Amino acid sequence: MHELLKLDATETARRIRAAEATAHDVTAAVLAHIKATEPKVGAYLHVDEADALSQAKAADAAVKAGKAGPLAGVPVAIKDNIHVHGQQTSCASRLLGDFKAPYDATVTARLRAAGAVMIGKTNLDEFAMGSSCENSALQQTRNPWNVAHVPGGSSGGSAACVAAHSAYLSLGSDTGGSIRLPASFCGVVGFKPSYGRVSRYGLVAFASSLDQVGPFARSVRDTATIMNVLAGRDAHDTTSADRPVPDYAAGLRNDLKGVRVGVVRSYLDQMPNREVAGACQAAIDRMQALGATIVETSLPHADHGIAVYYVVASAEASSNLARFDGVRYGLRVESSSGIESYFRTRGTGFGPEVKRRIMLGTYALSAGHWEEFYGRAARVRTLICRDFDNAFAGCDVMVGPCAPFTAFKAGEKSDPLSMYLCDIFTIPASLAGLCALSLPVGYDKSGLPIGLHMQAPAFAEDRLLGYAHALEQALKPEVDRTPAIA
Ligand code: GLN
C-alpha cells in the first residue's frame, strides 16, 4: 500500500492544504489501491477514474487559491443509495436500472464544498434491507479481514472499502444498524448520528422515521472531522434539526473522568459468544481505568425492539417504495396495460427480501390491521424511548456489544429471521433516534474484529465522540491493525 494511504483523513487533508501532498497524488494512489483490492473485496459498484481525478484537480486548484476546505483532496466513498450528481444511484437493485442521480444529496454537496473527492459508489443490500450485503442484486462484497466472510450490511461496501484502505472515509445509511453492524464486522468506526442531525435530502428513503446518513472512518478523529462537514440544518429536509452544531473535533478527549458509563449486565452475561462478551468487558474495564464510573442500567422493553422495528420499518418501506412504478425511475417492463406493466416491473425488478418487506408492511397497514400492528408497534416504540430517558438519567453513555457475533461466513445465514437478529443491539437506538457508534475494541481468535456499541442521548454526538476517542486512544496498542489484504 502507498505510504499516503496509511495516514488518516484528517492528516491527509492537512498535508494537502499545506502543499506537502497533492489531491492528485492521493486520489491516484487510492485508485491504484482500488484496482489491487477490488478483485478480492468487491466493495465498489462504480468508480469513475476520470471524474475522481478531475475532482482532485479542482481540490488542488482550491489549495492554490487559498480556498481549501477541511477535507481538501480526501477520497470519500458513497453508499449507492445516496445521490452524487450524474453518477448512478442503483440501491443495488435491478429496479433502478441505469438511473443517474439528477442532483447531489445535501451530504454529497457538503462533501464537495469541503473539498472531498467522491471516489465511487459502494455496494449495499438492496434498498438497504439486510445485514450482510448478500441481498445486493448486483455484486457480493467480502470482508477484508477474511474474504470467506460477509462485511455486514446493509452498508457493507462502505465499511469494507474503509477497512481495506481503498477510501479514507465513506458514507452509509443506518435505519436499524446498517452503519454500526458492518463497522463492527469490518473493524472500523461507524457512526449513526441522531435522527435529524444530518440531512437526508438525496438519500433514497427506506423507513422515514428511522433513516439517518452517517460516516465510516478508521479513527474517531476522522469521524469528528467529517461530522463537522455533514451535520446541520438543511432547508431541503424538514426533518433536519435546527440546532447549533458543536465543533466535534474540539470535543475529543483523552480521559473519562467524571463520566458515568451505563451497562446492561444481561447483554454481556447472557451473550452466547464469549469472545465478543470478553472484548466488550475488557473495553468497559479500560473505561473505568480512564476514570469512568460503571453503573448498571436496564432497558426493560428493548427485547421487543426487533418486533417493533420489522412492523414500523416494513410499513414505511411499503409506502416509500410505491414510487418505483416503472414510469418514473429506471426499469420498465412493457406490457399490454399500464397496471400489468407496473406489476411486471415490480415483480421483475425487486429482489425477494424487498418483496417480503413490502408485503409485510402493506399487510401491517391494511384496513382492519393497522391498529393491531402499526398502532401497537408505535406504542411499544414509545416505551423503548422512555427506557432510554430513564437509563440516561443515571448515565452519560451506554455501552455493550454492537453485534451478537463477529462476521459470519457468506451463505451461512439463509433464513430471514436469523439475519434480522443481527441487529438486536442496534435497533433500539434507531427507534429512539439516539446517536450511537461502533468502535473496534478487539478481535476474536480467528482475527475477525469486534465492535463496542456506544449510545448517547439525541444530539449528544459531541460527548459520544469525546468518550469514544478516549477509549480508542487507550486501546490503540492492542487494536490498531490493518487487514492483510490492504
Ligand atoms: N438489517 C436491518 C434491516 O434489514 C437494518 C437495515 C438498515 O439499517 N438499513 O432492516
Side-chain angles (χ1 to χ4, degrees):
M1 155 171 44
H2 194 292
E3 283 303 311
L4 282 169
L5 303 188
K6 295 180 184 160
L7 304 174
D8 72 355
T10 310
E11 170 61 11
T12 303
R14 188 201 64 74
R15 288 197 189 181
I16 293 172
R17 278 197 307 271
E20 294 165 20
T22 65
H24 177 274
D25 289 353
V26 169
T27 303
V30 170
L31 289 170
H33 195 61
I34 288 175
K35 280 216 176 79
T37 52
E38 275 299 280
K40 288 173 232 145
V41 178
Y44 285 95
L45 292 175
H46 177 75
V47 176
D48 183 336
E49 291 206 4
D51 183 54
L53 290 169
S54 93
Q55 293 178 59
K57 203 169 167 189
D60 282 328
V63 172
K64 283 217 176 70
K67 290 189 186 131
L71 288 174
V74 175
V76 181
I78 312 290
K79 186 177 184 179
D80 207 16
N81 62 349
I82 299 171
H83 290 340
V84 176
H85 189 188
Q87 292 191 20
Q88 66 172 49
T89 300
S90 73
C91 294
S93 179
R94 302 215 172 281
L95 200 130
L96 277 147
D98 59 359
F99 177 79
K100 299 262 185 311
Y103 58 91
D104 264 341
T106 296
V107 282
T108 44
R110 282 178 179 240
L111 287 175
R112 227 184 260 288
V117 171
M118 251 92 52
I119 194 95
K121 304 297 301 285
T122 58
N123 198 20
L124 63 151
D125 287 293
E126 185 175 4
F127 285 102
M129 297 173 186
S131 301
S132 66
C133 240
E134 291 167 293
N135 292 339
S136 169
L138 306 180
Q139 182 172 300
Q140 288 308 303
T141 298
R142 304 299 185 171
N143 191 309
W145 295 91
N146 182 337
V147 292
H149 292 246
V150 301
S154 65
S155 316
S158 288
C161 69
V162 171
H165 291 243
S166 54
Y168 285 84
L169 297 163
S170 63
L171 292 187
S173 63
D174 189 309
T175 303
S178 274
I179 292 175
R180 293 161 285 161
L181 182 74
S184 85
F185 281 10
C186 291
V188 296
V189 180
F191 190 71
K192 185 200 92 75
S194 315
Y195 188 79
R197 182 79 286 187
V198 172
S199 168
R200 305 181 298 179
Y201 178 70
L203 165 73
V204 177
F206 163 10
S208 304
S209 74
L210 297 156
D211 299 339
Q212 264 300 288
V213 175
F216 290 88
R218 288 191 297 269
S219 69
V220 177
R221 177 168 90 147
D222 278 359
T223 309
T225 300
I226 190 171
M227 277 302 295
N228 277 347
V229 172
L230 300 175
R233 165 84 185 151
D234 172 22
H236 291 304
D237 176 359
T238 52
T239 64
S240 75
D242 195 4
R243 283 171 172 252
V245 179
D247 180 348
Y248 297 118
L252 302 183
R253 51 191 283 178
N254 289 316
D255 69 78
L256 293 172
K257 289 193 188 86
V259 179
R260 297 164 304 164
V261 175
V263 175
V264 180
R265 232 16 292 163
S266 59
Y267 288 1
L268 291 167
D269 295 348
Q270 290 164 22
M271 166 81 85
N273 186 317
R274 298 316 300 161
E275 285 185 277
V276 172
C280 292
Q281 184 57 54
I284 293 164
D285 294 344
R286 195 60 74 89
M287 294 181 92
Q288 192 165 22
L290 287 166
T293 312
I294 312 301
V295 297
E296 270 194 44
T297 186
S298 69
L299 296 170
H301 300 91
D303 290 354
H304 302 295
I306 292 211
V308 170
Y309 172 85
Y310 277 93
V311 173
V312 171
S314 304
E316 294 179 12
S318 75
S319 162
N320 275 325
L321 270 58
R323 75 191 65 183
F324 300 107
D325 53 9
V327 178
R328 287 174 288 182
Y329 313 98
L331 181 76
R332 175 177 179 85
V333 181
E334 292 296 346
S335 192
S336 48
S337 72
I339 192 72
E340 195 50 38
S341 169
Y342 173 85
F343 290 145
R344 291 217 185 152
T345 301
R346 289 167 67 85
T348 317
F350 288 135
E353 183 60 30
V354 177
K355 287 180 186 162
R356 185 178 295 119
R357 307 279 178 113
I358 292 173
M359 288 189 282
L360 197 65
T362 305
Y363 182 73
L365 290 178
S366 58
H369 295 293
W370 187 92
E371 174 51 31
E372 187 188 346
F373 294 110
Y374 195 83
R376 195 185 286 186
R379 284 199 298 280
V380 180
R381 183 177 187 173
T382 304
L383 296 176
I384 293 173
C385 294
R386 283 196 200 136
D387 282 355
F388 277 113
D389 289 345
N390 293 335
F392 284 124
C395 65
D396 304 301
V397 58
M398 291 180 72
V399 306
C402 190
F405 27 67
T406 53
F408 46 89
K409 282 206 172 81
E412 189 181 306
K413 290 194 193 295
S414 47
D415 67 303
L417 196 59
S418 73
M419 202 62 94
Y420 297 173
L421 288 170
C422 295
D423 298 307
I424 188 156
F425 297 123
T426 53
I427 277 176
S430 297
L431 292 168
L434 311 181
C435 57
L437 60 79
S438 179
L439 181 76
V441 292
Y443 301 87
D444 69 10
K445 55 180 175 302
S446 70
L448 289 165
I450 296 170
L452 183 76
H453 193 217
M454 305 179 73
Q455 313 175 90
F459 300 102
E461 22 277 285
D462 49 343
R463 276 164 39 203
L464 179 61
L465 288 166
Y467 306 150
H469 184 261
L471 179 59
E472 176 194 51
Q473 295 307 305
L475 292 173
K476 216 170 178 171
E478 300 117 78
V479 175
D480 197 11
R481 294 187 201 170
T482 303
I485 217 167

